[in-house]
Amino acid sequence: SQTIHQWPATLVQPVGSPLSLECTVEGTSNPNLYWYRQAAGRGLQLLFYSIGIGQISSEVPQNLSASRPQDRQFILSSKKLLLSDSGFYLCALNNYGYTFGSGTRLTVV
Amino acid sequence: GQQVMQIPQYQHVQEGEDFTTYCNSSTTLSNIQWYKQRPGGHPVFLIQLVKSGEVKKQKRLTFQFGEAKKNSSLHITATQTTDVGTYFCAGGGFQKLVFGTGTRLLVSP
């Protein structure tokens, strides 16, 4: 079965520091992968999606970037975090419904 | 761009009461999916509807896709405390989904 691994579960970072969140997938090959962000008590905002290695589509221009260096690896990055980057970051893959990872709660202080 | 709205935003019911959340899209959808997110957790896929007017049931949950494929509903009969969470609809093509704003359900024993 397909599984998604995300880490860390929680993260507290100072403003201006860099960020790297990693998502890895098992049990499937060439998946469509997605990064979503959820603000506290809010809906899910699509940030990036990727249909293959090196292919990234950005949905919302902002302080973040994404990369897909390997088929089953999707990375979300920032060079300098802003307070507004705080939120719950979720990686997902698409296979008759999205399967989400357990997410990373990021607090920028 | 495509927008998906849900009402109500929040509902608090007594255990045993029924609950319904409604989902409305600004554009015609190829399919509609429903997800449940428990407090502190990640969204979990419940079901997908594809056909106009389609109705599907999962135990106490009934999902309906509108005839015009622009709206959908989720009805829970005789709620239980385990139904607590936020319910999201999501619509769109294969490559990416647009999530609704969500309905948060609280059930009191």
Side-chain angles (χ1 to χ4, degrees):
Chain A
S1 63
Q2 300 167 351
T3 55
I4 299 181
H5 301 280
Q6 267 189 263
W7 64 91
T10 59
L11 191 59
V12 180
Q13 291 285 100
V15 169
S17 63
L19 173 74
S20 181
L21 299 180
E22 187 168 342
C23 167
T24 59
V25 177
E26 291 181 358
T28 185
S29 54
N30 197 31
N32 285 1
L33 295 175
Y34 306 82
W35 278 111
Y36 281 87
R37 178 171 63 196
Q38 186 175 35
R42 305 293 295 275
L44 294 155
Q45 180 187 33
L46 177 62
L47 301 176
F48 302 94
Y49 71 95
S50 172
I51 61 172
I53 296 173
Q55 300 181 66
I56 306 295
S57 295
S58 174
E59 289 295 302
V60 183
Q62 54 198 324
N63 187 39
L64 301 168
S65 62
S67 62
R68 188 163 174 182
Q70 299 180 41
D71 181 46
R72 301 175 193 178
Q73 185 184 31
F74 201 22
I75 297 173
L76 182 69
S77 303
S78 173
K79 292 182 179 178
K80 288 185 178 182
L81 285 169
L82 306 172
L83 287 174
S84 57
D85 291 324
S86 294
F88 189 34
Y89 288 82
L90 291 154
C91 181
L93 68 87
N94 186 6
N95 180 34
Y96 187 71
Y98 283 18
T99 298
F100 285 87
S102 53
T104 295
R105 295 193 185 280
L106 171 66
T107 303
V108 182
V109 296
Chain B
Q2 180 185 16
Q3 291 186 330
V4 181
M5 303 297 294
Q6 281 183 255
I7 55 171
Q9 255 189 312
Y10 171 81
Q11 188 154 7
H12 185 180
V13 300
Q14 294 293 313
E15 191 172 23
E17 293 181 337
D18 291 356
F19 160 77
T20 304
T21 173
Y22 299 91
C23 174
N24 292 285
S25 171
S26 58
T27 60
T28 302
L29 301 170
S30 57
N31 67 78
I32 191 87
Q33 300 180 12
W34 284 92
Y35 294 77
K36 177 182 178 181
Q37 184 176 22
R38 294 182 183 275
H42 57 276
V44 174
F45 174 72
L46 295 177
I47 206 162
Q48 175 174 281
L49 305 171
V50 178
K51 300 176 183 177
S52 168
E54 188 172 12
V55 178
K56 287 189 176 180
K57 293 188 176 183
Q58 288 181 349
K59 298 182 181 178
R60 295 177 294 103
L61 277 61
T62 302
F63 304 84
Q64 186 165 6
F65 201 7
E67 294 290 342
K69 301 184 76 173
K70 294 182 71 173
N71 57 75
S72 180
S73 64
L74 159 59
H75 179 82
I76 302 178
T77 303
T79 54
Q80 300 175 358
T81 54
T82 53
D83 294 325
V84 164
T86 300
Y87 292 85
F88 292 98
C89 62
F94 177 75
Q95 284 195 352
K96 59 179 181 177
L97 286 179
V98 174
F99 279 79
T101 47
T103 296
R104 183 181 168 202
L105 173 64
L106 184 61
V107 181
S108 295

